[in-house]
């Protein structure tokens, strides 16, 4: 066996199949060298794959491989491998024309596949068995096994083998010239193969469609399908089917009387057939070549090919196409004025035609019988299915009754639950409303307490001091000159009271009633100038330089009054926490959709904790400025609310003793 692996037909074909065989040979050699092949199922499976490659190229090697595969599988009790071996051996006897022996091996493979539930192997065996009955011209049995395979493929949803069944069964109907059925099965096969993108099977189906179209005389459709098939087989380099495609292309030209073009394609087919060890496929090729040379009036060459076809037909004991061969020989001798031999071929043709017609009549009866049996089995299956369906329906109706009963009960329970849930939801809504009211009342109360606290501590003291001073002046305990000396301090306190009162009122309104924002286009530079003017006295006390570095084109879409409060608070804080001779700068940075306004100082700065909590709503700690200036602790909270109401955000960057940068954004247009 190893001698055959290393020395047999691996140099016969230059196609892609050669690479496949060499790859399989290399794998088998490795198993051989490992000394484990006697008990290795992988090795047996490789033998099967190699045998399928040899099926068309080297029949002697095919027989050796099948015997080895069967022997090993039996010794290791591997029924799948044994069934594969029977398929290979069946192919060997099929290719040498011994149909009965081939059928016996395919039947063994079918039996083993059924016993061991090997679905794919069963389908493969069934198709091979049906094909062998077709070669034997027992179309009834062929049809039966194809139909069985179709049913199995449908049950297991095996699209690959279903398409193969459709492809093969079409050949039976084509022999009987039932072209409508033939095209129907081929169309089903083509649809499956195109959906699964199986190019090889698409090409095979197109070859068979072409053959059918040629017999029907539809040469245009035949040309279209065969051109597509040729392009597929030339790409995948599948020799046997490419040879058949070339032969069909030549047949079309022969039918059209284009003998020189026909000869080109038929010669291509003959060249490939030189490497294919399948005599059955060469008979129609030789017949086509004989017809073509007859059309070219090359009678000697035509006779040579016709005689080769006749020899193979008798050797393989098949009547298929023998009448066509004898017809060509008769035409050759008649054209060559050899009337004696022409008459002999004509008589042989008549005798063989009678036999073929008789056989065809018997075959047609068998096909009708097979179809009838299949339909009877199908009706029985349908009847059994209907009985099962009726029983299932009774179970379904009973189940529906139980389900309906449960549904009614569930409906009643759900209705009660729905009412209960509605009451619960109402109760929850009322509870939530009470909670919201309580929260609102608590917040209002806290706001009131905070306002009173600030009024008591921050407004009451300066106002009482101012009142005491007036009382002293009214009681003439202070002279006019002495009173005027207190005026700068009084003015400072009044400014502080007014600023604090403005913040208190704004914050209190936002907490109690919510802010009403009325945006418009406003100039930020103008607002900054106004704030610097209002706070100029406090800045002059510390000799602080104020710089408005904002251009006139800085226009934002925001509420003027609210942004005025924001800018004034930020500048006031900067003045408060900047040491003497410090600098406060207000600038603007343009972004895509916003203006970023920044208030920078070089004052005392803040630590990380202060930066984190400076804008939080619960922050109430009051910080004192560099000259002990006191505020409400509300300014930055008011700023945050107002900036956010206008579609922006506010943040701070600061370092101890380095100063702070308060930044906030405002939209440029009303689209933001």
């Amino acid at each position: 066996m190893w001698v055959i692996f290393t020395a047999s037909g691996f140099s016969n074909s230059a196609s892609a199949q050669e690479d496949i065989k060499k790859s399989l040979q290399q794998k088998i050699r490795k198993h051989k060298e490992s000394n484990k092949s006697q008990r290795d199922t992988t090795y047996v499976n490789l033998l099967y794959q190699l045998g399928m490659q040899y099926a068309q190229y080297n029949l002697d090697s095919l027989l050796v491989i099948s015997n080895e595969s069967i022997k090993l599988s039996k010794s290791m009790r591997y029924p799948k491998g044994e069934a594969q071996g029977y398929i290979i051996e069946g192919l060997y006897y099929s290719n040498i024309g011994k149909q009965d022996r081939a059928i016996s091996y395919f039947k063994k493979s079918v039996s083993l596949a059924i016993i061991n539930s090997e679905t794919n192997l069963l389908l493969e065996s069934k198709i091979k068995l049906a094909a062998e009955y077709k070669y034997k011209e027992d179309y009834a049995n062929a049809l039966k096994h194809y139909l069985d395979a179709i049913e199995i493929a449908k049950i297991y949803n095996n699209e690959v083998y279903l398409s193969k069944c459709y492809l093969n069964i079409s050949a039976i109907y084509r022999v009987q010239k039932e072209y409508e059925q033939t095209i129907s099965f081929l169309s089903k096969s083509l649809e499956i193969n195109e959906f699964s993108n199986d190019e090889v099977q698409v090409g095979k189906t197109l070859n068979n469609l072409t053959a059918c179209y040629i017999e029907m005389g539809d040469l245009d459709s035949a040309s279209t399908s065969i051109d597509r098939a040729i392009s597929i087989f030339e790409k995948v380099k599948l020799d046997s089917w490419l040879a058949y495609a070339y032969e069909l292309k030549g047949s079309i030209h022969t039918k059209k009387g284009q003998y020189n073009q026909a000869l080109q394609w038929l010669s291509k087919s003959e060249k490939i057939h030189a490497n294919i060890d399948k005599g059955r496929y060469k008979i129609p090729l030789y017949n086509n070549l004989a017809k073509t040379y007859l059309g070219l009036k090359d009678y000697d060459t035509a006779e040579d090919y016709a005689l080769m076809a006749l020899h193979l037909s008798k050797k393989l004991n098949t009547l298929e196409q023998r009448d066509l061969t004898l017809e060509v020989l008769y035409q050759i001798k008649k054209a060559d004025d050899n009337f004696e031999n022409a008459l002999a071929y004509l008589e042989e043709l008549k005798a063989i035609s009678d036999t073929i017609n008789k056989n065809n009549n018997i075959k047609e009866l068998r096909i009708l019988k097979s179809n009838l049996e299949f339909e009877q089995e199908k009706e029985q299956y349908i009847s059994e299915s209907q009985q099962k369906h009726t029983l299932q329906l009774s179970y379904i109706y009973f189940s529906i009754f139980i389900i309906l009963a449960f549904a009614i009960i569930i409906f009643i329970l759900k209705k009660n639950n729905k009412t209960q849930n509605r009451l619960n939801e109402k109760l929850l809504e009322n509870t939530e409303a009470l909670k919201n009211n309580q929260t609102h009342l608590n917040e209002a109360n806290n706001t009131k307490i905070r306002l009173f606290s600030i009024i008591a501590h921050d407004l009451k003291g300066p106002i009482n001091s101012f009142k005491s001073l007036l009382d002293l002046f009214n009681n003439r305990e202070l002279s006019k000159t002495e009173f005027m000396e207190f005026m700068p301090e009084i003015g400072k306190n009044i400014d502080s009271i007014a600023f604090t009162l403005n913040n208190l009122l704004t914050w209190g309104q936002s907490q109690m009633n919510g802010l009403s924002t009325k945006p418009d286009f406003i100039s930020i530079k103008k607002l900054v100038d106004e704030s610097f003017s209002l706070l100029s006295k406090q800045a002059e006390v510390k000799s602080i330089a104020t710089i408005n570095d904002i251009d006139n084109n800085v226009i934002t879409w925001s509420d003027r009054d609210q942004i005025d409060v924001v800018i004034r608070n930020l500048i006031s804080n900067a003045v408060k926490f900047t040491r003497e001779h410090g600098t406060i700068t207000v600038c603007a940075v343009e972004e895509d959709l916003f203006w970023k306004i920044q208030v920078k100082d070089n004052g005392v700065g803040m630590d990380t904790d202060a930066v984190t909590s400076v804008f939080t709503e619960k922050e109430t700690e009051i910080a004192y400025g560099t000259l002990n200036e006191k505020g409400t602790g509300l300014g930055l909270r008011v700023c945050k609310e107002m900036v956010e109401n206008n579609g922006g955000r506010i943040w701070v960057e600061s370092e101890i003793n380095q100063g702070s940068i308060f930044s906030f954004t405002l939209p440029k247009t009303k689209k933001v």
Side-chain angles (χ1 to χ4, degrees):
M1 181 179 177
W2 186 241
V3 172
I4 289 171
F5 284 157
T6 56
S8 62
F10 283 101
S11 61
N12 290 339
S13 175
S15 68
Q17 290 160 294
E18 182 70 14
D19 295 332
I20 297 172
K21 287 187 286 185
K22 285 182 179 178
S23 174
L24 289 168
Q25 180 193 26
Q26 187 177 10
K27 291 178 182 178
I28 290 172
R29 185 187 298 115
K30 287 182 180 179
H31 278 281
K32 271 283 185 182
E33 293 169 356
S34 69
N35 294 322
K36 295 179 181 179
S37 61
Q38 299 299 318
R39 304 296 297 175
D40 190 358
T41 58
T42 302
Y43 175 74
V44 175
N45 292 335
L46 286 171
L47 288 180
Y48 174 65
Q49 294 175 42
L50 185 63
M52 296 304 284
Q53 290 298 317
Y54 274 132
Q56 299 179 55
Y57 296 100
N58 194 309
L59 298 182
D60 293 334
S61 297
L62 189 65
L63 183 61
V64 175
I65 290 172
S66 67
N67 290 334
E68 180 73 4
S69 181
I70 293 168
K71 180 181 175 183
L72 281 175
S73 298
K74 283 183 175 179
S75 67
M76 59 194 293
R77 295 182 180 178
Y78 182 43
K80 179 180 177 181
E82 188 179 347
Q84 290 173 345
Y86 289 140
I87 289 177
I88 298 171
E89 189 141 357
L91 287 173
Y92 167 76
Y93 286 109
S94 173
N95 289 337
I96 65 173
K98 295 185 177 181
Q99 275 76 42
D100 289 333
R101 292 198 67 176
I103 287 170
S104 68
Y105 283 110
F106 290 140
K107 282 183 175 179
K108 288 181 181 180
S109 179
V110 168
S111 299
L112 280 172
I114 292 171
I115 293 170
N116 294 279
S117 301
E118 292 284 349
T119 306
N120 284 354
L121 203 58
L122 174 60
L123 288 167
E124 186 69 32
S125 303
K126 276 277 186 183
I127 290 173
K128 291 286 189 292
L129 179 59
E132 210 55 41
Y133 276 120
K134 183 177 78 71
Y135 294 146
K136 197 181 176 184
E137 300 177 349
D138 185 353
Y139 297 122
N141 270 318
L143 183 62
K144 181 180 183 304
H145 287 291
Y146 280 138
L147 293 173
D148 286 347
I150 287 172
E151 290 300 310
I152 295 167
K154 284 182 177 179
I155 290 170
Y156 290 96
N157 198 27
N158 193 320
E159 297 287 340
V160 174
Y161 277 101
L162 187 60
S163 70
K164 288 182 179 180
C165 289
Y166 289 149
L167 180 63
N168 283 280
I169 204 171
S170 68
I172 295 176
Y173 287 102
R174 184 160 65 86
V175 169
Q176 299 300 319
K177 303 189 185 305
E178 296 182 13
Y179 299 122
E180 186 177 345
Q181 281 285 71
T182 303
I183 292 176
S184 174
F185 278 108
L186 289 173
S187 298
K188 290 178 182 179
S189 177
L190 187 62
E191 182 181 354
I192 293 170
N193 296 324
E194 286 183 331
F195 181 78
S196 60
N197 201 25
D198 188 340
E199 279 195 316
V200 172
Q201 286 301 116
V202 168
K204 291 179 180 180
T205 308
L206 290 170
N207 268 3
N208 282 272
L209 270 171
T210 301
C212 184
Y213 286 136
I214 290 172
E215 291 182 18
M216 293 169 65
D218 186 355
L219 300 183
D220 290 336
S221 297
S223 296
T224 302
S225 57
I226 200 59
D227 286 342
R228 186 181 170 196
I230 288 172
S231 67
I232 290 172
F233 291 128
E234 284 180 341
K235 182 171 71 174
V236 300
K237 299 187 185 302
L238 192 57
D239 286 352
S240 59
W241 284 90
L242 180 58
Y244 184 34
Y246 287 156
E247 179 191 330
L248 291 169
K249 183 73 173 178
S251 296
I252 294 170
H253 286 297
T254 301
K255 289 277 186 182
K256 292 180 178 181
Q258 300 167 346
Y259 300 114
N260 286 318
Q261 290 145 295
L263 189 58
Q264 292 176 9
W265 291 101
L266 294 172
S267 297
K268 285 185 177 183
S269 179
E270 185 181 19
K271 186 176 180 181
I272 297 174
H273 268 290
N275 296 319
I276 298 176
D277 197 4
K278 267 197 171 182
R280 180 184 291 110
Y281 295 162
K282 294 179 181 179
I283 295 173
L285 172 64
Y286 292 155
N287 277 337
N288 276 317
L289 281 163
K291 288 179 189 177
T292 302
Y293 279 110
L294 177 60
L296 292 169
K297 302 187 185 306
D298 185 348
Y299 303 129
D300 291 337
T301 307
E303 184 177 7
D304 289 341
Y305 279 111
L307 289 174
M308 284 192 288
L310 185 62
H311 171 72
L312 282 174
S313 176
K314 290 179 177 179
K315 179 183 175 183
L316 296 174
N317 193 28
T318 177
L319 296 178
E320 190 174 354
Q321 289 225 341
R322 194 182 298 183
D323 54 341
L324 299 178
T325 307
L326 293 169
E327 173 70 23
V328 172
L329 285 168
Y330 164 71
Q331 294 291 343
I332 292 169
K333 291 302 178 184
K334 181 181 176 183
D336 201 25
D337 294 331
N338 190 338
F339 298 110
E340 185 178 349
N341 286 338
L343 183 60
Y345 283 127
L346 184 61
E347 288 176 353
E348 188 176 353
L349 172 62
K350 184 178 181 305
I352 202 71
S353 296
D354 290 341
T355 304
I356 290 172
N357 289 333
K358 181 180 178 182
N359 289 344
N360 282 341
N361 289 334
I362 295 171
K363 290 167 197 169
E364 288 176 7
L365 289 172
R366 286 178 179 172
I367 288 174
L368 289 172
K369 181 182 177 183
S370 178
N371 281 333
L372 180 60
E373 290 174 352
F374 180 75
E375 289 299 326
Q376 288 174 344
E377 290 177 7
K378 193 172 180 180
E379 287 178 7
Q380 183 179 354
Y381 172 78
I382 292 171
S383 177
E384 291 174 356
S385 297
Q386 286 176 343
Q387 291 177 2
K388 291 179 181 178
H389 182 65
T390 303
L391 184 61
Q392 287 173 350
L393 280 177
S394 64
Y395 289 140
I396 290 170
Y397 291 146
F398 180 73
S399 300
I400 291 172
F401 174 76
I402 297 297
I403 291 169
L404 284 173
F406 276 110
I408 292 169
I409 295 170
I410 291 170
F411 174 76
I412 294 170
L413 291 174
K414 276 196 170 183
K415 189 175 181 182
N416 292 335
N417 286 339
K418 192 173 181 181
T419 304
Q420 186 66 38
N421 289 338
R422 196 184 305 113
L423 293 174
N424 289 338
E425 287 174 4
K426 190 68 176 175
L427 181 61
L428 287 172
E429 287 176 4
N430 292 337
T431 304
E432 190 67 25
L434 288 172
K435 286 182 180 179
N436 291 335
N437 289 336
Q438 184 178 358
T439 301
H440 181 70
L441 288 172
N442 288 338
E443 290 176 354
N445 191 51
N446 290 335
T447 301
K448 180 192 71 175
I449 293 170
R450 178 63 177 155
L451 285 171
F452 285 146
S453 174
I454 291 170
I455 290 169
H457 291 87
D458 297 335
L459 298 180
K460 183 180 178 182
I463 291 171
N464 285 339
S465 297
F466 185 50
K467 182 178 181 299
S468 298
L469 192 64
L470 286 174
D471 288 341
L472 289 172
F473 179 73
N474 289 330
N475 294 331
R476 302 186 182 277
E477 294 180 19
L478 282 176
S479 66
K480 185 176 179 181
T481 303
E482 290 173 329
F483 181 78
M484 292 305 293
E485 289 176 355
F486 284 104
M487 284 305 293
E489 186 67 26
I490 291 171
K492 187 192 300 183
N493 285 338
I494 289 174
D495 288 341
S496 175
I497 290 169
F499 190 78
T500 300
L501 187 60
N502 186 49
N503 276 346
L504 284 172
L505 292 174
T506 302
W507 181 75
Q509 182 185 11
S510 70
Q511 297 297 306
M512 301 293 288
N513 303 316
L515 286 174
S516 175
T517 303
K518 299 177 180 178
D520 200 349
F521 290 108
I522 62 171
S523 170
I524 300 299
K525 178 179 177 63
K526 186 176 180 181
L527 292 180
V528 173
D529 285 338
E530 290 175 358
S531 292
F532 275 153
S533 177
L534 287 171
L535 298 168
S536 60
K537 291 182 181 179
Q538 292 92 318
E540 287 173 2
V541 171
K542 294 184 178 182
S543 300
I544 295 172
T546 57
I547 301 171
N548 185 356
D549 200 16
I550 296 179
D551 294 333
N552 289 321
N553 67 336
V554 181
I555 306 297
T556 66
W557 177 258
S558 50
D559 187 297
R560 187 187 190 285
D561 294 335
Q562 293 180 18
I563 302 308
D564 184 34
V565 171
V566 172
I567 293 172
R568 194 181 311 158
N569 269 282
L570 294 179
I571 294 175
S572 174
N573 281 347
V575 171
K576 185 189 301 182
F577 295 106
T578 299
R579 300 182 183 90
E580 292 183 355
H581 305 292
T583 302
I584 298 172
T585 303
V586 182
C587 61
V589 179
E590 186 173 8
E591 298 178 347
D592 289 340
L593 301 174
F594 296 87
W595 281 106
K596 180 170 71 175
I597 315 299
Q598 294 184 310
V599 179
K600 303 179 182 179
D601 66 65
N602 55 0
V604 298
M606 294 181 283
D607 59 21
T608 305
D609 291 338
V611 168
T612 304
S613 62
V614 71
F615 291 110
T616 56
E617 292 183 2
K618 295 184 179 180
E619 181 61 38
T620 58
E621 181 180 349
I622 298 174
Y624 291 86
T626 56
L627 291 181
N628 289 321
E629 302 100 318
K630 188 170 67 169
T632 64
L634 294 175
L636 292 178
R637 292 162 62 184
V638 171
C639 291
K640 181 175 184 295
E641 289 182 17
M642 291 185 174
V643 168
E644 290 177 351
N645 281 344
N646 283 273
R649 65 186 185 93
I650 188 168
W651 70 96
V652 63
E653 303 165 72
S654 184
E655 290 185 27
I656 295 293
N657 295 322
Q658 297 296 317
S660 302
I661 301 175
F662 281 85
S663 304
F664 65 95
T665 60
L666 292 173
K668 293 180 178 179
T669 67
K670 62 178 70 177
K671 290 183 179 180
V672 177

